[in-house]
Amino acid sequence: MPDTEKIQRLLELLDELYPWDAKSFLHYETPWQLLFATILSAQCTDDRVNQVTATLFKKYPSLEAFAAADLQELEKDVHATGFFHMKALHIKQSAGILLSAHGGEMPSDLNALLKLPGVGRKTANLILGHIFQTPSVVVDTHVKRVSYRLGLTRNKDPEKVEYDLMKVLPESHWIRFN
């Protein structure tokens, strides 16, 4: 593992190059919109997701609308993001679970988030960090690769990388590191 001084220099450089404004690159107004945009972002660019959600969130303005959506129509609506069968199914199912099990509110617990269809640790941590300001490490392909190259981890499994980064980074940089 790298020494504390090296990590501090790295974080200062990253802070200088990438000022933190706590914004997500995905466009959203509600917690569930960020959740659905993040589900759509798998294997898709943020720009494409933002194009799709611009019309999607107008067509389906509520969790109730997503839960009641015709699955085949929803698939057509999200087709441009790829893997549209599963993404549409996960969004529809998650909307139903948020309504039935959480009273239409986004759960603030990692384990509850992980029970939502299509939600893995990356998505759950992103929700925790951006919606609830809970210190969380979001490990995507880029974070995994760069962290390995910088010597911040010797692991390649995203969950192990997440735990390694939690050990070496100050909490103030956990959500920022992504």
Side-chain angles (χ1 to χ4, degrees):
M1 284 295 160
D3 62 51
T4 307
E5 193 175 303
K6 178 183 175 182
I7 291 172
Q8 187 58 41
R9 286 193 318 265
L10 170 66
L11 294 176
E12 287 171 5
L13 178 62
L14 289 172
D15 287 347
E16 184 180 320
L17 293 171
Y18 304 100
W20 178 245
D21 59 8
K23 284 178 33 183
S24 168
F25 291 106
L26 298 171
H27 300 161
Y28 69 96
E29 294 179 6
T30 67
W32 60 264
Q33 286 179 344
L34 178 59
L35 173 67
F36 295 170
T38 305
I39 289 171
L40 293 173
S41 73
Q43 303 295 311
C44 188
T45 66
D46 290 348
D47 286 339
R48 175 60 56 99
V49 171
N50 288 334
Q51 290 171 9
V52 169
T53 57
T55 56
L56 189 71
F57 294 155
K58 288 179 184 162
K59 182 173 182 177
Y60 305 98
S62 66
L63 282 173
E64 291 82 3
F66 273 103
D70 176 77
L71 186 57
Q72 289 181 329
E73 187 173 347
L74 185 56
E75 287 176 354
K76 290 176 187 169
D77 295 331
V78 302
H79 186 274
T81 65
F83 303 99
F84 57 93
H85 294 298
M86 291 310 295
K87 289 178 181 182
L89 179 63
H90 289 158
I91 288 170
K92 182 174 171 59
Q93 290 174 333
S94 289
I97 292 168
L98 288 173
L99 289 166
S100 65
H102 301 285
E105 299 294 322
M106 185 66 63
S108 60
D109 173 72
L110 178 70
N111 291 323
L113 288 166
L114 290 172
K115 290 179 183 175
L116 294 172
V119 175
R121 294 188 70 84
K122 179 185 90 167
T123 298
N125 281 323
L126 185 126
I127 295 295
L128 291 174
H130 284 279
I131 298 300
F132 298 105
Q133 290 72 51
T134 301
S136 307
V137 177
V138 178
V139 178
D140 61 13
T141 302
H142 308 294
V143 168
K144 181 178 79 167
R145 187 180 70 248
V146 170
S147 297
Y148 186 84
R149 283 187 160 183
L150 292 172
L152 300 176
T153 183
R154 287 288 144 232
N155 289 297
K156 294 193 175 183
D157 173 79
E159 187 171 348
K160 290 179 180 176
V161 172
E162 175 188 334
Y163 290 124
D164 286 346
L165 292 176
M166 291 169 77
K167 290 176 191 170
V168 300
L169 298 175
E171 274 190 21
S172 63
H173 278 74
W174 284 7
I175 197 68
R176 294 179 68 173
F177 199 71
N178 178 261

